Amino acid sequence: MRRQTHSQKTLIFVSLISLMFGSFPGKAAAPKAGPSGYEITKTVPVAGDEGWDYIAVDSDARRVYVSHGSHVVVLNADTYEVAGDIPDTQGVHGIAIASDLGKGFTSNGRANTVTIFDLKTLKPVGSVKAGTNPDAIVYDAGTKRVFTMNGRSQDVTAINAVDGTVAGTMAVSGKPEFAVSDGKGSIFVNIEDKSELVQFDAQKLTVTNHWALAPCEEPSGLAMDKKTRRLFVGCGNKMMAVVNADTGKVVATPAIGNGVDANAFDPETKYAFASTGDGTLTVVHEDSADKFTIVENVPTKKSARTMGLDMKTHKVFLPAADFDSPAAGERRGKMKPGSFVVLVGEKK
């Protein structure tokens, strides 16, 4: 084999540099985007062996609301210490925050009610009758209304957040799952059993659009980029359906893990998240209104299917627990005592 001279080696090195960074000499091209940088940095034990569903983050008040069966555990978003507890929220699913009114709201699935609580003291100040099995709950600041998505009665209850009275009920002809407000008078909600997305008028309580979500199946989690008017739908068949909120068109379907139950969008980083029960947090970057790139799948913990996003620190909070193997005929085994935790994921 012929030995290479010093000049030949230099030429090869320069050529490699040119391939990596562009023509040489001259300005180097920007490197491609790497992984999101997210990783699980903290595991916060939470007392009690009851189940859970949604988790909500009040970024301004620095609180994390964790649904926990018959009550809501409130954590400090910075120290992760318990800041309080909201009792008697039987079968609680979700938490909605009305910062402008100083009130919070929980959807109590077993009691078919909504608990109203004071944001400063965390003490309950009222209760409102909702539909059957209220699941997701969302606050719309424009109408100052809280909306519960009632899974069993297949309707939506609108509650006046100021005085706690029921403003009306609207049928959605299917099982409503998660919902978001666009801040412009519309609420969007996934219809899980029909693979549909429904848009309705928050003031008039009338359905304005029914959109098929194919190829998405069993939509659950939902988030929105209000600037680009893109909705991020978590689908049971392992995809995130990105939907144009003005036309209902599915513009992208990046792959996610199995068992999604929550989505979030960070307008600063342009990251869309999907938390899945198989133990992954999928991070998708919004390159443009119609182009989306999977950045990575961050390992979390099996059962960490829901999440909350802190808009100030960009941290994600994911409740999870360990379970025994399911017995014959069971969908899931019993939760192992003392295993309930909240995972904290952040950019490092």
Side-chain angles (χ1 to χ4, degrees), residues 20-179:
M20 293 172 63
F21 299 105
S23 58
F24 184 88
K27 186 177 180 180
K32 291 183 178 180
S36 68
Y38 272 89
E39 61 180 88
I40 301 303
T41 59
K42 184 77 175 177
T43 299
V44 182
V46 178
D49 301 324
E50 294 184 88
W52 74 93
D53 198 355
Y54 299 118
I55 186 169
V57 182
D58 185 343
S59 298
D60 293 328
R62 310 307 303 142
R63 282 175 170 171
V64 180
Y65 294 85
V66 185
S67 64
H68 201 20
S70 62
H71 63 122
V72 176
V73 179
V74 186
L75 303 177
N76 182 298
D78 300 307
T79 66
Y80 315 132
E81 296 176 349
V82 175
D85 193 278
I86 304 165
D88 195 25
T89 59
Q90 299 299 321
V92 59
H93 284 282
I95 305 97
I97 306 298
S99 299
D100 55 333
L101 303 177
K103 296 178 180 180
F105 304 80
T106 70
S107 54
N108 310 322
R110 288 199 298 268
N112 301 324
T113 61
V114 169
T115 296
I116 307 172
F117 64 93
D118 184 277
L119 288 181
K120 289 184 178 179
T121 66
L122 300 177
K123 292 182 178 180
V125 296
S127 179
V128 187
K129 190 71 176 176
T132 309
N133 189 29
D135 192 344
I137 185 168
V138 61
Y139 174 63
D140 177 64
T143 58
K144 297 194 184 304
R145 286 178 173 178
V146 171
F147 300 88
T148 62
M149 312 301 139
N150 309 314
R152 205 157 291 137
S153 53
Q154 300 189 354
D155 53 21
V156 175
T157 302
I159 300 169
N160 292 316
V162 175
D163 60 13
T165 59
V166 175
T169 302
M170 181 192 68
V172 290
S173 302
K175 184 179 181 294
E177 258 288 333
F178 208 77

Side-chain angles (χ1 to χ4, degrees), residues 216-238:
C216 170
E217 298 174 3
E218 297 180 350
S220 55
L222 184 63
M224 186 176 189
D225 180 350
K226 296 179 181 180
K227 184 176 181 180
T228 63
R229 303 281 298 170
R230 293 296 180 266
L231 295 156
F232 303 94
V233 180
C235 308
N237 55 334
K238 299 195 290 186

